[in-house]
Amino acid sequence: MPSNPDWVKALNESGRPGSKCLELERDKSNVDVDKLATFLFTNEILQRNARILDILKADPVFDKTQNYFRGRIERIEASLARGKRLRQLTVEHNWTKEEYNAANELISEPTPYGLHASMFLITLREQGTPEQHELFLKKAEAYEYVGCYAQTELGHGSNVRGLETTATWNPDDKTFILHSPHLTSSKWWIGSLGKVANHAVVMAQLIIDGKNYGPHPFVAQIRDMKTHEPLENIHVGDIGPKFGYNTMDNGFLLFNQVKIPHANMLARFSRVDPETNKYMRPSNPSLVYGTLTWVRSNIVLQSGSVLARGVTIAIRYCSVRRQFTDRDAPEDEVRENQVINYTMVQQRLFPLLAACFALHFTGRGMIELYNTNQAMMQQKEKAGKQNAGKVSEDAGQTPRGAGPEELNPGADLLADLHSTSCALKAHASTTAGEGLEVCRRACGGHGYSSFAGLASWYADYLPTLTWEGDNYMLTQQVSRYLLKTARAVNKNFKNTGNFNAVNGDNDTTAILKTYKRRQDIGAAFDVLGNDEDLVAAYAWRVAYLTFQALQHRDEEKQSWNSLLVDFYRLSTAHAQYMVVKNFQGALSSSALQSQLPTPTKTMLHTLFRLHALHTLEKESSEFFQSAACTIRQIQLARTKTVPQLMGEIRPHAVRLVDSWKFPDWQLDSSLGRYDGDVYGDMFKRASEDNPLNNVVFDPNPNSKTLFKRDDRGNLRSKL
Amino acid sequence: MPSNPDWVKALNESGRPGSKCLELERDKSNVDVDKLATFLFTNEILQRNARILDILKADPVFDKTQNYFRGRIERIEASLARGKRLRQLTVEHNWTKEEYNAANELISEPTPYGLHASMFLITLREQGTPEQHELFLKKAEAYEYVGCYAQTELGHGSNVRGLETTATWNPDDKTFILHSPHLTSSKWWIGSLGKVANHAVVMAQLIIDGKNYGPHPFVAQIRDMKTHEPLENIHVGDIGPKFGYNTMDNGFLLFNQVKIPHANMLARFSRVDPETNKYMRPSNPSLVYGTLTWVRSNIVLQSGSVLARGVTIAIRYCSVRRQFTDRDAPEDEVRENQVINYTMVQQRLFPLLAACFALHFTGRGMIELYNTNQAMMQQKEKAGKQNAGKVSEDAGQTPRGAGPEELNPGADLLADLHSTSCALKAHASTTAGEGLEVCRRACGGHGYSSFAGLASWYADYLPTLTWEGDNYMLTQQVSRYLLKTARAVNKNFKNTGNFNAVNGDNDTTAILKTYKRRQDIGAAFDVLGNDEDLVAAYAWRVAYLTFQALQHRDEEKQSWNSLLVDFYRLSTAHAQYMVVKNFQGALSSSALQSQLPTPTKTMLHTLFRLHALHTLEKESSEFFQSAACTIRQIQLARTKTVPQLMGEIRPHAVRLVDSWKFPDWQLDSSLGRYDGDVYGDMFKRASEDNPLNNVVFDPNPNSKTLFKRDDRGNLRSKL
């Protein structure tokens, strides 16, 4: 569109401008934004991000101006160009994996190289032998082989064992034959496969002499290295548009009896002996399973900042936006009220603000636990691989396969960690995903505009609720672990006659024992007055629900299927307990105590209480039924404490979101601008940036002409 | 993409094909699909829809094959073509407004003529004088004038009084001057304005001699009738892409001191006398306010079928899809379980299935009530316009303006109807909108594909939660009415000393009196055993919450703002009560009793109980606190009755969604196909229909080339 006429350019916002609103908000609060940001992320990372941001902003290929306007093909074309440049910059600046990831986060949309850089390289590295690293990994690291990880099929998602693609060992010429026997065996949803990959790691059922040895990983070339056209007897393409994630080429892939050499079966953990044609399991894959826990822990950590993006946008905009005068305001009040002053808006946004911090600290706690555990495991491994035999029947599982929760884990702590990571992954990503939509709606009508920056972020995030373990499916694995632990606690009681926690008990065992020990005395948790009691009430509820589920399953012999809804509730309760526990732990940590000034600490404590009490009130029936607290306490939380905490947070809301330090370039949101120039930005994008305003309609329904004028230039991306 | 290779074409689904799955489902149930459909919609309407469907399907302009692939400009170009043809067909077949609407529903996406055909024509008709009908309406009905209804501004949504655009009366030349004093006064979100309209009804503050008379409607020409370019001193365009609704040209509009003639102020209810320069209110607009109630009642009615689309898709796909074997299945069970057999899936989908029927019957009840009321009002009007004076200070309100709930309504029944329509609009559209997202997620990974037909439908529906009264804002109006009624009940008690309902009491007054009368005796509702008691428990809860809110407001003098969260809960409770009451009413109606065979009636009754008990269990704390039922009853509902009802519904789920009679063409969903050919359809769309598969990437990050091959043809729409 030609630039706006001069009389439009001369117009201002009515009333107090948005920039002034945010300035006043920031003046009102004594939260130390920089110190809080440093505590959340460290100075090194904040500086690193700033450095990378400068590089990206200076490069026209990363210009975001047309992002919201492009159609699918144009978007993926732009994103291909960005993926290429990102690779070039990585080489040029010698970026680490963390720096590359930081750049990706700032760009905030997946590129078609995404799965190559993550799953393809990881799988080759972790599941390939040194010879296979030489053969495949080197070229993949040089982006000569561009690949993907092909597991899910059109007819099979979570259930890896049900995959249909076969890899049949052919002893005559020492090859495997990859084959897709049905339409439903088509690989589906595979990121980076649709258009960009020339190789794939393919999960296929290994068949030797008619016997099925379960899913194993194979490397297959799928496109010609010169023309990039599919090889013969391979059918591959993009699976079409999606709710979000449209800059990624999720693909399909079918094989028609395609031969691959013996060397292409990734052989670190299992292989076929080409001489004897026997299946071999040379190694214990338990360390690999840790990958899934690590991936899930990262999802938990990220969920905090994923949600914080939405909360930042919503809280800034609701501080700028005014609507109606307060019903109890004096008669002569002419100015409309800031939307953030309405308790109904606070009730929607402030618990989410608190959740951002809660999830962030929980993710951090998970990753620390994971690292401790890995170090311990590695020591154990060195000390003799005691548990090697126990898991071998499931060898060949991959980082995306079923986790150890389906196996018989050797280490008690590992099992606890895995279960926690499942419960938290499900709960954290659901909280973040659904929270983003709450933020969008809290922005009123303008939340619906793409320029709000919320809808696309929400839609792009949603797959996280499904991948790395579907959020509903995972709750079964958590419950299975909790039931098993409860059985062990009961059995231990039979043997020892007491429920006292002993040194070495993991957290789950400890809370179950505490409950059992106190079951007949009852609990008297001062949930409104004491933080430790508040956490203990959450633990009590988990234990209550666990033993209740155990009774349904073991004594009343109810079917597994009939208990799925209970299991979902149980897993959620466990996750919520872990979150309040981690939040409380972070508050009492010496790092926090030493690094943050008192008003900032106080505010974090207020957020902790809001998070814990608002959740308690929301789930009140379980807290009440388990007698973790009384109905009176719940009523007081609802009517007194929670509203009071909201009021305490109100003046600090803008500074609290500022401390997440999202650059405007990353948010790409009119409503969430740091400077509050919401309306000016919105208007510029709608009028001057909007290519639809370069065409003129013919509105006469009887005319064959659709566009009377079409001045769209060539908007295609280039490198 | 060229067609799939022969070896791909030869592939089948593994296991039992989807078509067979749905066939077996239909065989298992004795629900009479055709009779139920007839009862829901009538035969005339089903036949009319089939007739219109044939016309649309035969016309290439309505071909949907490329819908999900197109970018914004291509989509709106296609939708412009469809809008034109729709108008041509309307003329050709002499379609009524209802037939035109039915065609729009089958097409299932808005066209740029949408707001012309609705709000522009309605406003001219209802607010114009006969002379103005001659001047504007005739040309508008002939689509010579294409228009829109411009109320919302960039800085002002729900609060109509805060609009900034001015229309200043100029006595010298008898004109009005339209002006946008600030950037925030830009009209915004106006459907059909961005690209297609050449005229607009503009809501602007009427200024006479420096005095503001509030918002009034003015007709303004905005684009040249020949070139369709904006007129001088008018800045107009499309506001850019949105979460959904992208086939509509929502627009912005600014005026720079633009003169319009005296005749352009719509003058049926108020006008400026050109001789005396005085403001005149010639008539009582109370009948017009009914329009809003009517619009909201229709939103309630539609919410049932909006949700039913999602439920149809999800239930059919979950009946085809198999995943994992049942954990308690015999060892030799190899076939995976239908997803719909999992209780966690039933828990998500069956309450929504029940809600579809509940909302449909409630909408129908609302519209009947509205019609009765309109007839009564018209009689009253004739009988002397008794209430004319009372509302006159707010004259000039429009169908989109504040409703009578902000005024001082004359008729008690009208106020009750309005309040109910507000509560139900908010509750029904929130239920449908959020329910659609639940349906999408219940479809697992494939729910994320555009071909599921869920994401776009959800995104297009979401504005309904905001327009015609924001769903959060509306709850304040409902609560205000309930508080007022409660005050009247208390006052009446002071005068008469009893709480007995009298003839002529509206429903709200009656339930409040019942509660007061029994307050000290308590309630003993047999919610699990008796339908009337179940409805009465809902009424009891509403009354309890109302008097509690009244105490907070009137006795404890709590601020209005501090009660907004309570008001939201109160309004929701009132809506839920109306829904169960209407559902129960429909079940006991003679129409249902005579038209449906027993097994179908039984199933509707099961759905009613599931709806009412599932909601009761979800909102348990309020039911318990109000003593509408005991904790034991709630526990029994959760653990026994609801699971049992789910089991009873399970075999009939597919037939129950079949009875909504959505043609495949309307659903446009791979997952929701009537014949169950989910995977074949998904594959065809992804491979053969997908234009991204007509380009070949260059995956080398160091190459400047993005596409090695680009065989996209011209996909532009034409008429």
Side-chain angles (χ1 to χ4, degrees):
Chain A
M1 193 176 205
S3 72
N4 293 324
D6 289 339
W7 61 270
V8 172
K9 285 186 189 153
L11 294 173
N12 296 317
E13 294 162 70
S14 67
R16 182 178 288 162
S19 55
K20 189 73 192 163
C21 294
L22 291 192
E23 206 182 302
L24 289 172
E25 288 293 327
R26 290 179 179 119
D27 286 350
K28 270 191 312 202
S29 164
N30 55 0
V31 164
D32 192 323
V33 168
D34 288 329
K35 287 212 170 118
L36 183 50
T38 304
F39 177 72
L40 290 173
F41 306 108
T42 77
N43 250 331
E44 293 68 46
I45 284 181
L46 291 170
Q47 282 166 10
R48 177 200 76 185
N49 290 357
R51 204 177 62 235
I52 294 171
L53 179 64
D54 285 343
I55 295 170
L56 297 177
K57 281 172 85 169
D59 197 323
V61 81
F62 297 112
D63 174 61
K64 295 189 178 185
T65 322
Q66 285 298 309
N67 274 10
Y68 294 130
F69 300 104
R70 290 195 176 105
R72 174 92 209 284
I73 297 192
E74 293 69 36
R75 287 193 72 189
I76 204 160
E77 186 175 14
S79 146
L80 174 63
R82 288 167 189 173
K84 289 188 179 208
R85 179 58 46 81
L86 205 54
R87 166 65 187 166
Q88 294 164 7
L89 290 172
T90 305
V91 173
E92 186 185 330
H93 298 284
N94 200 16
W95 277 346
T96 62
K97 180 141 185 55
E98 286 69 36
E99 287 168 318
Y100 168 85
N101 286 343
N104 258 319
E105 268 186 40
L106 289 165
I107 296 170
S108 289
E109 59 178 32
T111 83
Y113 294 95
L115 275 287
H116 167 83
S118 58
M119 284 302 290
F120 186 61
L121 291 180
I122 289 171
T123 311
L124 291 180
R125 199 172 290 132
E126 294 193 346
Q127 308 211 32
T129 61
E131 300 76 41
Q132 290 176 320
H133 289 172
E134 202 60 33
L135 205 57
F136 306 119
L137 184 59
K138 271 194 168 170
K139 286 180 181 159
E141 283 174 336
Y143 280 62
E144 189 182 332
Y145 287 0
V146 178
C148 60
Y149 179 82
Q151 177 169 301
T152 304
E153 295 177 354
L154 183 52
H156 287 86
S158 307
N159 187 10
V160 182
R161 314 253 161 119
L163 293 179
E164 296 175 14
T165 307
T166 53
T168 307
W169 173 245
N170 184 3
D172 301 337
D173 59 1
K174 314 293 178 195
T175 57
F176 297 98
I177 296 168
L178 289 176
H179 187 58
S180 312
H182 304 102
L183 189 67
T184 38
S185 8
S186 178
K187 294 295 173 186
W188 206 265
W189 283 113
I190 314 303
S192 301
L193 166 67
K195 304 306 297 177
V196 85
N198 49 35
H199 281 70
V201 168
V202 178
M203 289 299 289
Q205 305 282 359
L206 171 63
I207 314 281
I208 309 173
D209 197 17
K211 189 181 164 198
N212 187 342
Y213 289 83
H216 286 72
F218 299 84
V219 178
Q221 184 183 339
I222 54 170
R223 285 188 172 100
D224 184 84
M225 295 302 288
K226 217 173 218 158
T227 63
H228 202 61
E229 301 281 353
L231 298 182
E232 213 186 332
N233 286 315
I234 286 178
H235 195 44
V236 57
D238 171 88
I239 62 160
K242 297 144 293 190
F243 195 9
Y245 235 70
N246 281 311
T247 55
M248 176 62 82
D249 57 328
N250 297 82
F252 66 82
L253 174 63
L254 282 159
F255 296 97
N256 185 29
Q257 311 280 5
V258 174
K259 270 194 186 178
I260 55 168
H262 174 262
N264 285 30
M265 174 174 169
L266 291 177
R268 182 162 165 216
F269 299 117
S270 47
R271 60 189 197 92
V272 177
D273 184 318
E275 303 309 319
T276 63
N277 304 316
K278 293 271 184 264
Y279 178 67
M280 318 279 285
R281 286 177 223 107
S283 180
N284 166 18
S286 67
L287 271 186
V288 172
Y289 299 155
T291 309
L292 243 191
T293 307
W294 187 82
V295 168
R296 289 185 188 142
S297 304
N298 269 291
I299 290 178
V300 178
L301 180 65
Q302 281 161 8
S303 67
S305 83
V306 163
L307 180 56
R309 261 178 90 142
V311 175
T312 300
I313 293 169
I315 284 187
R316 285 183 184 157
Y317 175 54
C318 288
S319 304
V320 168
R321 183 183 180 207
R322 288 164 184 280
Q323 198 83 196
F324 293 101
T325 46
D326 189 317
R327 176 151 284 263
D328 296 321
E331 279 284 319
D332 58 351
E333 173 68 62
V334 288
R335 195 192 315 230
E336 294 181 285
N337 201 357
Q338 279 170 286
V339 167
I340 195 144
N341 288 333
Y342 292 107
T343 55
M344 192 68 237
V345 171
Q346 296 175 5
Q347 173 86 2
R348 289 187 274 164
L349 292 180
F350 291 174
L352 293 176
L353 174 62
C356 298
F357 289 92
L359 293 174
H360 182 81
F361 292 130
T362 305
R364 214 148 83 167
M366 273 301 297
I367 283 167
E368 278 163 23
L369 214 58
Y370 172 82
N371 289 336
T372 317
N373 190 65
Q374 282 298 96
M376 233 175 57
M377 289 279 294
Q378 252 148 357
Q379 275 188 321
K380 260 196 189 171
E381 288 273 316
K382 277 189 204 150
K385 304 184 180 187
Q386 303 98 321
N387 303 309
K390 293 197 183 164
V391 288
S392 61
E393 61 172 317
D394 285 280
Q397 292 297 326
T398 74
R400 288 231 172 185
E405 52 280 359
E406 296 209 345
L407 317 176
N408 190 11
D412 186 46
L413 207 78
L414 181 66
D416 200 58
L417 187 64
H418 267 280
S419 167
T420 307
S421 80
C422 291
L424 284 172
K425 185 269 170 180
H427 177 63
S429 58
T430 300
T431 304
E434 293 181 351
L436 286 175
E437 175 62 10
V438 173
C439 293
R440 196 188 64 70
R441 289 196 211 163
C443 292
H446 290 340
Y448 195 64
S449 166
S450 298
F451 307 145
L454 287 163
S456 53
W457 182 240
Y458 167 66
D460 282 357
Y461 183 70
L462 278 175
T464 313
L465 280 65
T466 307
W467 67 32
E468 314 302 351
D470 170 85
N471 283 0
Y472 284 98
M473 294 299 305
L474 284 176
T475 64
Q476 291 187 52
Q477 312 196 358
V478 176
S479 300
R480 196 173 308 138
Y481 169 74
L482 290 172
L483 291 187
K484 213 163 72 180
T485 312
R487 283 188 202 109
V489 165
N490 282 339
K491 197 175 157 192
N492 180 64
F493 178 77
K494 276 195 191 139
N495 295 337
T496 67
N498 80 63
F499 283 119
N500 288 328
V502 296
N503 204 2
D505 274 354
N506 62 39
D507 187 72
T508 307
T509 304
I511 65 171
L512 294 179
K513 282 185 175 176
T514 305
Y515 176 81
K516 276 298 207 180
R517 207 174 51 244
R518 292 198 58 88
Q519 197 177 8
D520 298 332
I521 314 167
F525 299 120
D526 180 13
V527 291
L528 297 174
N530 181 298
D531 294 348
E532 284 76 21
D533 274 22
L534 191 47
V535 177
Y538 273 84
W540 184 271
R541 163 180 171 238
V542 173
Y544 166 82
L545 292 173
T546 303
F547 286 109
Q548 206 183 40
L550 189 70
Q551 185 187 329
H552 293 326
R553 180 65 177 162
D554 288 3
E555 291 171 38
E556 298 161 16
K557 306 286 178 201
Q558 291 193 27
S559 72
W560 187 261
N561 187 21
S562 72
L563 294 170
L564 295 181
V565 178
D566 288 345
F567 291 159
Y568 183 82
R569 291 197 178 112
L570 173 57
S571 175
T572 303
H574 189 238
Q576 288 170 337
Y577 157 64
M578 291 301 298
V579 173
V580 294
K581 184 178 135 99
N582 274 283
F583 200 163
Q584 205 261 328
L587 283 182
S588 48
S589 71
S590 58
L592 181 139
Q593 290 302 328
S594 63
Q595 287 176 40
L596 294 182
T598 304
T600 308
K601 279 191 272 199
T602 307
M603 201 30 61
L604 282 182
H605 183 239
T606 307
L607 288 168
F608 161 73
R609 295 191 68 216
L610 176 68
H611 177 74
L613 290 171
H614 178 261
T615 307
L616 180 144
E617 186 241 307
K618 216 176 52 180
E619 311 280 4
S620 57
S621 72
E622 286 175 9
F623 279 93
F624 168 72
Q625 275 173 37
S626 67
C629 52
T630 65
I631 287 192
R632 179 73 187 140
Q633 284 173 313
I634 293 165
Q635 276 177 335
L636 285 170
R638 176 178 293 180
T639 57
K640 304 279 175 203
T641 321
V642 167
Q644 187 193 324
L645 294 168
M646 301 268 191
E648 288 169 21
I649 290 166
R650 164 67 191 90
H652 308 283
V654 168
R655 275 186 176 251
L656 285 168
V657 298
D658 285 351
S659 69
W660 289 82
K661 293 276 180 183
F662 291 107
D664 279 344
W665 194 80
Q666 184 176 9
L667 293 180
D668 198 15
S669 162
S670 297
L671 305 186
R673 281 175 70 102
Y674 182 85
D675 67 4
D677 185 19
V678 165
Y679 299 115
D681 194 70
M682 195 90 166
F683 198 83
K684 180 185 172 298
R685 291 181 190 243
S687 55
E688 295 184 324
D689 295 345
N690 182 356
L692 186 55
N693 288 326
N694 293 323
V695 303
V696 174
F697 277 21
D698 178 341
N700 176 355
N702 298 314
S703 141
K704 281 243 169 213
T705 315
L706 293 173
F707 293 171
K708 271 181 189 276
R709 183 160 67 74
D710 187 348
D711 293 346
R712 282 176 290 171
N714 180 3
L715 292 167
R716 286 194 57 178
S717 303
K718 51 178 182 288
L719 246 179
Chain B
M1 191 176 205
S3 75
N4 292 322
D6 288 340
W7 61 270
V8 170
K9 285 186 190 154
L11 293 172
N12 295 318
E13 294 164 68
S14 68
R16 183 179 286 160
S19 56
K20 188 72 193 165
C21 295
L22 291 192
E23 205 182 302
L24 289 172
E25 287 293 329
R26 291 178 179 123
D27 286 349
K28 272 192 312 203
S29 162
N30 56 359
V31 164
D32 192 323
V33 168
D34 288 331
K35 286 215 171 114
L36 183 49
T38 303
F39 178 71
L40 290 173
F41 307 109
T42 76
N43 251 332
E44 294 67 47
I45 285 180
L46 291 170
Q47 282 167 8
R48 175 200 76 187
N49 289 357
R51 203 176 63 234
I52 294 172
L53 179 64
D54 285 342
I55 295 170
L56 298 176
K57 280 171 88 169
D59 198 323
V61 83
F62 297 112
D63 174 60
K64 295 187 176 186
T65 321
Q66 285 299 310
N67 274 10
Y68 294 131
F69 299 103
R70 291 195 176 105
R72 174 94 208 286
I73 297 191
E74 291 69 36
R75 286 193 73 187
I76 203 160
E77 187 175 12
S79 140
L80 174 64
R82 289 168 188 172
K84 289 188 179 205
R85 178 58 47 85
L86 205 53
R87 166 65 188 166
Q88 294 164 7
L89 290 172
T90 306
V91 173
E92 187 185 328
H93 298 284
N94 201 16
W95 278 346
T96 61
K97 181 143 184 53
E98 286 68 34
E99 287 167 317
Y100 168 85
N101 286 344
N104 260 319
E105 269 186 41
L106 289 166
I107 296 169
S108 289
E109 60 177 33
T111 82
Y113 293 95
L115 276 287
H116 167 83
S118 56
M119 283 302 289
F120 186 62
L121 292 180
I122 290 171
T123 312
L124 291 179
R125 199 172 292 133
E126 294 195 345
Q127 307 211 31
T129 60
E131 301 76 40
Q132 290 175 320
H133 288 172
E134 202 61 34
L135 206 53
F136 306 119
L137 183 60
K138 271 196 170 169
K139 285 179 182 163
E141 284 174 337
Y143 280 62
E144 187 181 337
Y145 287 1
V146 179
C148 60
Y149 179 82
Q151 177 168 304
T152 304
E153 296 177 354
L154 183 54
H156 288 85
S158 307
N159 187 9
V160 182
R161 314 253 160 120
L163 292 178
E164 297 175 11
T165 306
T166 53
T168 308
W169 173 243
N170 184 1
D172 302 339
D173 59 2
K174 315 292 177 197
T175 58
F176 296 98
I177 296 168
L178 288 177
H179 187 58
S180 313
H182 304 101
L183 188 67
T184 38
S185 11
S186 177
K187 294 296 175 186
W188 206 266
W189 284 113
I190 314 304
S192 302
L193 165 66
K195 304 305 300 176
V196 83
N198 50 33
H199 281 70
V201 168
V202 178
M203 289 298 291
Q205 304 283 359
L206 171 64
I207 314 280
I208 308 172
D209 198 17
K211 191 181 163 199
N212 188 342
Y213 289 82
H216 286 74
F218 299 84
V219 178
Q221 184 183 340
I222 54 172
R223 286 187 171 99
D224 185 85
M225 295 302 288
K226 217 175 219 158
T227 65
H228 202 61
E229 301 280 354
L231 298 182
E232 214 187 332
N233 286 315
I234 286 178
H235 195 44
V236 57
D238 171 88
I239 62 162
K242 297 143 292 188
F243 195 9
Y245 236 69
N246 280 310
T247 53
M248 177 61 82
D249 59 326
N250 297 84
F252 65 82
L253 173 63
L254 282 158
F255 296 95
N256 185 29
Q257 312 279 8
V258 173
K259 271 196 185 175
I260 56 169
H262 174 262
N264 285 29
M265 175 174 170
L266 291 177
R268 180 161 165 217
F269 299 116
S270 48
R271 60 191 196 91
V272 178
D273 185 315
E275 304 309 319
T276 63
N277 304 316
K278 292 271 184 266
Y279 179 68
M280 317 281 285
R281 285 179 225 108
S283 179
N284 166 20
S286 66
L287 270 187
V288 173
Y289 301 151
T291 308
L292 243 189
T293 307
W294 187 81
V295 168
R296 288 184 188 142
S297 304
N298 269 290
I299 290 178
V300 179
L301 180 64
Q302 279 161 8
S303 66
S305 84
V306 163
L307 180 56
R309 261 178 90 140
V311 174
T312 299
I313 293 170
I315 284 187
R316 285 184 184 157
Y317 175 54
C318 288
S319 305
V320 167
R321 183 183 179 208
R322 289 163 184 278
Q323 198 82 197
F324 294 100
T325 46
D326 189 316
R327 179 152 281 264
D328 296 319
E331 280 285 317
D332 58 350
E333 173 68 62
V334 289
R335 197 191 313 228
E336 295 181 284
N337 200 358
Q338 279 171 288
V339 168
I340 195 143
N341 288 334
Y342 292 108
T343 55
M344 191 69 238
V345 171
Q346 295 175 6
Q347 175 84 3
R348 290 188 272 163
L349 292 180
F350 291 175
L352 294 176
L353 173 63
C356 297
F357 290 93
L359 294 174
H360 181 83
F361 292 130
T362 306
R364 217 149 80 167
M366 275 301 297
I367 284 168
E368 277 163 22
L369 214 59
Y370 172 82
N371 287 337
T372 315
N373 190 64
Q374 282 297 99
M376 232 173 61
M377 288 282 292
Q378 254 149 355
Q379 274 188 323
K380 261 195 185 169
E381 287 274 315
K382 277 190 203 148
K385 303 184 180 189
Q386 302 100 318
N387 303 311
K390 293 196 185 168
V391 288
S392 60
E393 60 175 316
D394 285 278
Q397 292 298 324
T398 74
R400 288 232 172 186
E405 52 280 358
E406 298 207 344
L407 316 177
N408 192 9
D412 185 45
L413 207 76
L414 180 67
D416 200 57
L417 187 63
H418 267 280
S419 168
T420 306
S421 81
C422 291
L424 283 174
K425 184 268 172 183
H427 177 64
S429 59
T430 300
T431 304
E434 295 182 350
L436 285 176
E437 175 62 8
V438 172
C439 293
R440 197 188 63 71
R441 290 196 209 162
C443 292
H446 291 339
Y448 195 64
S449 166
S450 298
F451 307 145
L454 288 162
S456 53
W457 181 240
Y458 168 66
D460 282 357
Y461 184 70
L462 278 174
T464 312
L465 280 64
T466 307
W467 66 33
E468 313 303 350
D470 170 86
N471 284 0
Y472 284 97
M473 295 299 307
L474 285 177
T475 65
Q476 290 187 52
Q477 312 195 358
V478 176
S479 301
R480 197 173 309 138
Y481 169 74
L482 290 173
L483 292 187
K484 215 163 70 178
T485 311
R487 284 188 200 107
V489 165
N490 282 339
K491 197 173 158 196
N492 179 64
F493 177 77
K494 276 195 191 137
N495 297 338
T496 66
N498 81 63
F499 284 120
N500 289 328
V502 298
N503 204 2
D505 274 352
N506 62 39
D507 187 70
T508 307
T509 303
I511 66 172
L512 294 178
K513 282 186 174 174
T514 304
Y515 175 82
K516 277 296 208 182
R517 204 173 53 242
R518 293 199 56 89
Q519 197 176 11
D520 299 330
I521 314 167
F525 299 120
D526 180 13
V527 290
L528 297 174
N530 181 299
D531 293 348
E532 284 76 22
D533 273 22
L534 191 48
V535 177
Y538 272 85
W540 184 271
R541 164 182 170 234
V542 173
Y544 166 82
L545 292 173
T546 303
F547 285 109
Q548 205 183 39
L550 189 70
Q551 185 186 329
H552 294 324
R553 181 65 177 163
D554 287 3
E555 289 172 37
E556 299 160 17
K557 305 285 178 203
Q558 291 191 30
S559 73
W560 186 261
N561 187 20
S562 72
L563 294 172
L564 295 182
V565 179
D566 289 345
F567 290 161
Y568 183 81
R569 291 201 178 109
L570 173 57
S571 173
T572 304
H574 189 238
Q576 288 170 338
Y577 157 65
M578 290 301 297
V579 173
V580 294
K581 185 177 133 98
N582 274 284
F583 200 162
Q584 205 261 331
L587 283 181
S588 48
S589 70
S590 58
L592 181 137
Q593 290 302 329
S594 63
Q595 285 175 40
L596 294 182
T598 303
T600 307
K601 277 191 270 198
T602 306
M603 200 33 55
L604 282 181
H605 183 241
T606 307
L607 288 168
F608 161 73
R609 294 191 68 216
L610 177 68
H611 177 76
L613 290 171
H614 178 262
T615 307
L616 179 144
E617 188 243 304
K618 216 177 53 185
E619 311 280 4
S620 55
S621 72
E622 285 174 11
F623 279 93
F624 168 72
Q625 276 172 37
S626 66
C629 52
T630 66
I631 288 194
R632 181 70 189 142
Q633 284 174 312
I634 293 165
Q635 277 176 335
L636 284 171
R638 177 178 295 179
T639 58
K640 304 278 175 203
T641 320
V642 166
Q644 188 194 324
L645 294 168
M646 301 268 190
E648 288 170 20
I649 290 166
R650 165 66 191 88
H652 307 283
V654 168
R655 276 188 175 247
L656 284 169
V657 297
D658 286 351
S659 70
W660 288 82
K661 294 274 179 183
F662 292 107
D664 279 343
W665 194 81
Q666 184 175 9
L667 294 180
D668 199 14
S669 161
S670 295
L671 305 185
R673 281 174 69 101
Y674 182 84
D675 67 5
D677 184 20
V678 165
Y679 299 114
D681 193 70
M682 196 88 166
F683 199 84
K684 180 186 173 296
R685 291 179 190 244
S687 54
E688 296 184 324
D689 295 345
N690 182 355
L692 186 53
N693 288 327
N694 294 323
V695 304
V696 174
F697 277 21
D698 179 341
N700 175 358
N702 298 314
S703 141
K704 280 244 172 214
T705 315
L706 293 174
F707 293 169
K708 271 181 191 275
R709 184 160 67 73
D710 188 347
D711 294 346
R712 281 176 290 170
N714 181 4
L715 293 168
R716 286 193 58 179
S717 303
K718 51 181 185 287
L719 244 179

